[in-house]
């Protein structure tokens, strides 16, 4: 961010930002959706294994890119250095969309959690219906107030954001660990295998994989936060990123498996929070459900904090390099944070409460598409920079070398095909294509009004002037 408003982010702060962006509410709210999409718990496990195998090459590429270009903007920096203005903007806008959509989606999820805790919120003072979804005045107020609180935290600076992320991460990890210990103590293989739980259907795993790209995304947040880290934390940013990916993916898979081993999976499909319901049944304590709903709400706050931070960082990077108007580069006079970037990305959530839950699933799939664009472009940038700038200092090389590169290319084709090829299990719907096109058009408008006074040489100086380079 240029200035971070205080102390730099520690190694645990980097891990907390990544986990805070990843874990959130999906472990509690999406278990039923995952089981239904996969068509059973065995298909779900296969999908999670595929998800890790597919995402690891991209994560390894980030391990090389972060210490090579530890500058604000993350993926914007990598793609600009490799592909110029258009490449930098494309990946930057994809990253902004992904994080902003997650921010909006989690704001909706947070209200869903509050509706479970206080049912009157979703039934009182109904303003209108959007499809089958009511929009109520209390929910509007809560969503806007929550977004406003996160916005204020962002304006305070990176260290405040990291502190909130640490609190949310500790609460989530402790509660998930306790819940998993209770569930696996009572795990019943017969329940897991019931209703065809052991029947394997690869198309079910493929369909779930599209959702998991969104659900497991967020580890790349570390690449943006690394610019606000110093010392050992900055040198270990790549390790922090891998830790986030493996830890959170493992937790999400374990939670779903634990539910399927304690409750027939088809019954879990119809539950809003099956993990909490299972724990209530095992402990006989109704208050456990409330406790886990509150925990998930804390997770939602952590995700909103981390994703808004990432969105603002990427927009700030685009502005610094003249890829959007330089007006976005203005810093807060007191805290030194990119206030206009924060305001712009947070503004999306103003529209979200008025749609009810109509765009809940479409937003997930559009975020998945934006995530794939960001990962693929970053991997391609790392490979391209090896040829165009072999003299640059690389404290960490991408593990696996050429094998990882080949696996990454295969994974890129696989993910893109699963989302874009008609009739594939995870293909976008017409509504989702329309929403994606509208958001792309907004990005093109921002790019059109970029700072055209800068030459290519000046832009190159801006992106490379702050890094150490070996001649």
């Amino acid at each position: 961010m240029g200035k971070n408003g205080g102390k730099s982010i520690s190694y645990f702060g980097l891990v907390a930002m990544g986990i805070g962006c990843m874990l959130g509410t999906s472990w509690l709210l999406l278990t039923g959706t995952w089981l239904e999409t996969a068509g059973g718990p065995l298909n779900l496990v296969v999908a999670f294994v595929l998800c890790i195998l597919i995402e690891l090459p991209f994560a390894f590429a980030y391990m090389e890119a972060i210490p090579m270009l530890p500058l604000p903007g993350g993926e914007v920096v990598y793609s600009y250095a490799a592909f110029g203005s258009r490449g930098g903007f494309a990946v930057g806008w994809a990253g902004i969309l992904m994080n902003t959509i997650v921010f909006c989606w989690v704001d909706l999820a947070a209200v869903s959690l509050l509706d479970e805790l206080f049912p009157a919120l979703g039934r009182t003072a109904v303003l209108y219906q959007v499809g089958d979804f009511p929009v109520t005045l209390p929910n509007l107020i809560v969503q806007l107030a929550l977004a406003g609180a996160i916005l204020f935290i962002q304006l305070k600076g990176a260290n405040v954001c990291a502190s909130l992320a640490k609190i949310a991460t500790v609460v989530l990890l402790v509660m998930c660990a306790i819940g998993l210990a209770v569930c696996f103590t009572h795990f019943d293989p017969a329940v897991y295998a019931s209703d065809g739980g052991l029947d394997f259907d690869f198309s079910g795993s493929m369909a779930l994989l599209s959702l998991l790209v969104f659900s497991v995304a967020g580890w790349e947040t570390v690449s943006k936060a690394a610019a606000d880290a110093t010392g050992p934390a900055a040198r270990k940013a790549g390790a922090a990123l891998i830790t986030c990916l493996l830890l959170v993916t493992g937790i999400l898979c374990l939670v779903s498996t634990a539910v399927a081993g304690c409750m027939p999976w088809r019954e879990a499909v119809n539950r809003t929070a099956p993990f909490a319901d299972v724990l209530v049944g095992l402990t006989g304590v109704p208050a456990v459900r409330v406790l886990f709903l509150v925990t998930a709400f804390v997770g939602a706050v952590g995700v909103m904090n981390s994703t808004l931070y990432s969105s603002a960082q990427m927009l700030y990077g685009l502005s610094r390099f003249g890829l959007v108007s330089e007006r976005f580069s203005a810093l807060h006079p007191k805290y030194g944070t990119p206030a206009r970037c924060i305001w712009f990305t947070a503004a999306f959530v103003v529209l979200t409460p008025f749609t009810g839950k109509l765009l809940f699933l479409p937003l997930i799939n559009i975020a998945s598409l934006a995530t794939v664009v960001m990962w693929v472009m970053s991997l391609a940038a790392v490979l391209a920079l090896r040829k165009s700038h072999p003299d640059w200092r690389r404290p960490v090389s991408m593990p696996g070398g050429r094998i990882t590169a080949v696996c990454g290319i295969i994974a890129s084709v696989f993910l893109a095909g699963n989302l874009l090829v008609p009739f594939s299990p995870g293909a976008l719907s017409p509504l989702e294509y329309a929403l994606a096109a509208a958001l792309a058009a907004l990005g093109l408008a921002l790019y059109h009004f970029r700072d055209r006074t800068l030459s290519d040489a000046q832009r190159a100086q801006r992106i490379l002037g702050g890094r150490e380079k070996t001649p």
Side-chain angles (χ1 to χ4, degrees):
M1 286 187 181
K3 298 177 182 179
N4 63 20
K7 299 178 181 178
S8 65
I9 299 179
S10 65
Y11 176 78
F12 181 63
L14 291 175
V15 173
M17 290 289 281
I19 293 177
C21 192
M22 297 174 70
L23 202 50
T25 62
S26 58
W27 59 278
L28 190 67
L29 296 182
L30 291 182
T31 299
T33 300
W34 291 339
L35 286 168
E36 181 179 28
T37 303
L42 178 60
N43 297 333
L44 179 144
V45 171
V46 172
F48 269 100
V49 172
L50 287 174
C51 187
I52 290 179
L53 293 177
I54 285 173
E55 294 191 18
L56 270 179
F58 301 114
F60 286 160
Y62 276 76
M63 289 184 70
E64 179 171 320
I66 291 172
M68 178 174 62
L69 291 165
L71 301 172
E75 295 91 343
V76 176
V77 178
Y78 319 149
S79 289
Y80 178 84
F83 307 118
S85 297
R86 292 179 181 176
F89 178 81
V91 75
W93 184 239
I96 291 169
L97 287 180
M98 187 275 282
N99 284 285
T100 302
I101 288 173
V102 174
F103 181 78
C104 296
W105 185 89
V106 173
D107 196 39
L108 287 170
V111 171
S112 295
L113 290 168
L114 292 178
D115 285 348
E116 289 288 317
L117 291 168
F118 309 103
L121 290 176
R123 296 195 294 262
T124 303
V126 177
L127 300 176
Y128 53 87
Q129 294 271 136
V130 180
D132 296 327
F133 308 110
V135 176
T136 69
L137 181 61
N139 278 348
L140 280 177
I141 294 173
V142 170
Q143 282 182 265
L144 294 175
L146 181 58
I150 298 298
L151 187 148
F152 176 74
I153 291 171
Q154 296 293 319
L155 291 173
K156 293 282 287 185
N159 60 313
V160 179
C161 298
S163 296
L164 176 61
K166 290 176 185 178
I167 295 171
T169 298
V170 170
V171 171
L172 282 170
L173 291 180
V174 170
M175 293 302 295
C176 282
I178 294 173
L180 287 172
V182 173
C183 286
F184 278 105
T185 300
H186 298 83
F187 188 90
D188 187 347
V191 174
Y192 185 87
S194 65
D195 291 326
L198 295 181
D199 294 342
F200 178 62
D201 182 358
F202 188 64
S203 64
S205 298
M206 287 283 290
L208 177 57
L209 186 60
S210 296
L211 294 182
L212 291 185
V213 171
F214 165 81
S215 301
V216 180
W219 44 264
E220 68 284 334
T221 299
V222 174
S223 69
K224 273 75 75 177
D228 285 322
T230 57
R235 293 191 293 271
K236 296 180 180 179
L241 183 146
I242 298 295
T243 298
C244 294
L245 171 59
L246 297 179
L247 180 61
V248 174
T249 305
I251 289 174
L252 295 179
C253 186
L254 287 173
V255 167
S256 301
T257 302
V259 168
C262 298
M263 172 189 293
W265 70 270
R266 293 189 187 277
E267 181 181 343
V269 165
N270 299 317
R271 303 292 186 97
T272 301
F275 188 47
D277 293 339
V278 164
L279 290 170
V280 169
L282 294 176
T283 62
V285 181
V288 168
R289 191 174 195 275
V290 175
L291 181 60
F292 273 80
L293 288 171
V294 171
T295 300
F297 182 80
V298 172
V301 172
V303 171
M304 293 176 71
N305 170 63
S306 295
T307 53
L308 185 57
Y309 175 88
S310 292
S311 294
Q313 280 281 36
M314 298 196 85
L315 184 57
Y316 180 62
L318 292 177
S319 179
R320 285 183 67 246
F321 306 133
L323 300 178
V324 296
S325 172
E326 285 201 336
R327 294 182 180 181
F328 286 109
S329 297
L331 299 176
H332 193 285
K334 181 178 180 180
Y335 303 120
T337 50
R340 290 179 180 175
C341 296
I342 294 171
W343 279 105
F344 178 85
T345 52
F348 281 85
V349 85
V350 174
L351 301 175
T352 305
F354 296 94
T355 66
K357 298 179 182 178
L358 178 66
L359 301 180
F360 220 73
L361 188 57
L363 285 176
I364 293 178
N365 291 329
I366 293 173
S368 293
L369 177 61
T371 302
V372 169
V373 171
M374 185 171 57
W375 291 348
V376 170
M377 289 285 287
S378 296
L379 171 66
V382 168
L383 298 179
L385 288 173
R386 286 182 172 183
K387 292 184 177 181
S388 62
H389 296 283
D391 59 325
W392 281 5
R393 180 174 174 268
R394 292 171 171 80
V396 178
S397 294
M398 184 169 62
R402 292 183 178 180
I403 295 176
T404 297
V406 171
C407 290
I409 293 170
I410 295 173
S412 301
V413 174
F414 178 80
L415 286 175
N418 193 35
L419 284 167
L420 298 176
V421 175
F423 309 114
S424 68
L428 298 181
S429 69
L431 173 61
E432 290 158 359
Y433 271 115
L435 288 172
L439 292 171
L442 175 60
L444 289 174
L446 288 175
Y447 184 68
H448 177 74
F449 291 104
R450 65 190 181 279
D451 182 4
R452 297 175 181 271
T453 64
L454 289 178
S455 66
D456 290 341
Q458 288 173 316
R459 282 201 177 92
Q461 177 58 35
R462 288 195 178 189
I463 191 171
L464 302 178
R467 68 178 298 280
E468 291 184 4
K469 182 163 69 88
T470 305

